[in-house]
Amino acid sequence: MVLLNDKLLFKTLDILRGKSKLPQEYSDLVKFLEIIYGVKAIDFILETMPGPKCRYKFRLQVILSSNDDYEKMRTKDTINYDPEIQINIAKKYCELLNSQKWLDKYNPEEIFVCYCDFSSELRTNTIRLADKEAIPFILEKYAHSDIWKICSSFSYLYIFFINDVNIEQYSKDGTCERIKNDYFGYIKKYDEFNCYLDGYNIVFDSKENVDKNYAGNLYYYFK
């Protein structure tokens, strides 16, 4: 899940790092969410909804700290947000804003509440930063180890050797393990909030397999 652009990502990171603080109404909303729903909110993003035909005037995105907290916002056994929680958050938000007399009055019925799992954003950003250095490093360091291609996809790193036999060959001589250690070293370098304490998924495959079973096309491989 990647919902935040770089500007919003760095804004929330600054809050986590203690470099900036939430406005009072958002600090109060953090407390409300923790007391009532047992979730930890980090940041909030209020945006105007596009188009005059949209049912809502505003979208309030609640940036939550974990996937567990994100799941608490859903209706049980569905992928849908719990509408009662959404309207309760909107009401509390409007109550906090409307208590400030210099602001325009907000109507909770005009605010669509949604959520973002920030731990997912952190993991994605960590891998994005690690890949920029790790992949060129591995390709250069193991240039004579029959590596055809390296692909990063979601929560996996795929390393393709030329032939099937290379997988067994480089597993036995320790090359695969060294590659794993090198890559994880770059993850640790950028894993500021310890998202990857349990390691990372690295898959070793071959061009031969892609050619034989996926018509030589990585699109079909990852589909």
Side-chain angles (χ1 to χ4, degrees):
M1 179 195 302
V2 181
L3 299 177
L4 303 182
N5 60 35
D6 284 350
K7 181 179 179 181
L8 296 176
L9 173 70
F10 296 141
K11 171 179 175 289
T12 305
L13 280 173
D14 279 346
I15 292 171
L16 275 180
R17 291 166 178 157
K19 293 182 178 180
S20 64
K21 294 183 178 181
L22 290 170
Q24 187 59 52
E25 63 272 15
Y26 287 137
S27 294
D28 291 341
L29 194 54
V30 167
K31 295 175 185 176
F32 169 81
L33 288 166
E34 186 171 3
I35 293 170
I36 302 301
Y37 299 110
V39 300
K40 180 181 178 182
I42 303 169
D43 196 6
F44 303 88
I45 301 165
L46 183 67
E47 300 172 301
T48 301
M49 297 291 273
K53 295 183 180 180
C54 187
R55 175 184 170 186
Y56 300 95
K57 286 187 178 180
F58 305 99
R59 176 173 56 210
L60 177 66
Q61 188 170 182
V62 182
I63 312 300
L64 297 168
S65 65
S66 69
N67 183 254
D68 286 344
D69 286 348
Y70 183 83
E71 292 299 325
K72 290 178 182 178
M73 300 294 101
R74 296 185 189 275
T75 303
K76 188 176 181 181
D77 298 325
T78 77
I79 63 170
N80 301 317
Y81 294 145
D82 187 318
E84 182 178 345
I85 295 177
Q86 285 177 294
I87 192 62
N88 286 344
I89 292 173
K91 285 179 178 177
K92 184 63 178 181
Y93 181 63
C94 290
E95 174 190 320
L96 293 169
L97 287 180
N98 292 343
S99 65
Q100 303 178 37
K101 297 180 180 180
W102 61 88
L103 292 176
D104 293 334
K105 297 302 179 184
Y106 284 81
N107 180 353
E109 300 293 337
E110 297 176 340
I111 298 178
F112 175 74
V113 175
C114 59
Y115 314 94
C116 170
D117 168 16
F118 196 64
S119 67
S120 176
E121 305 287 331
L122 285 174
R123 287 193 296 271
T124 300
N125 188 56
T126 298
I127 296 304
R128 180 177 62 174
L129 294 172
D131 281 349
K132 287 180 180 179
E133 294 185 24
I135 291 177
F137 173 81
I138 291 170
L139 288 172
E140 181 178 355
K141 181 176 179 179
Y142 300 94
H144 301 294
S145 299
D146 299 296
I147 293 178
W148 170 57
K149 190 182 288 290
I150 299 177
C151 299
S152 187
S153 177
F154 300 103
S155 57
Y156 288 82
L157 184 76
Y158 294 83
I159 297 178
F160 296 90
F161 293 110
I162 299 295
N163 300 306
D164 287 347
V165 69
N166 298 139
I167 302 172
E168 182 178 359
Q169 173 189 352
Y170 293 118
S171 293
K172 284 183 176 179
D173 73 6
T175 298
C176 290
E177 190 63 29
R178 289 192 293 274
I179 290 173
K180 287 182 180 180
N181 291 336
D182 287 339
Y183 185 73
F184 193 57
Y186 281 98
I187 290 181
K188 288 192 290 186
K189 177 180 177 180
Y190 291 106
D191 191 12
E192 182 180 356
F193 298 97
N194 298 320
C195 298
Y196 289 103
L197 290 176
D198 296 327
Y200 189 72
N201 300 308
I202 298 180
V203 176
F204 293 96
D205 211 325
S206 71
K207 182 179 185 297
E208 181 180 342
N209 179 43
V210 176
D211 290 341
K212 188 186 300 181
N213 297 304
Y214 301 93
N217 194 324
L218 287 173
Y219 171 79
Y220 297 120
Y221 181 92
F222 289 113
K223 188 174 180 181

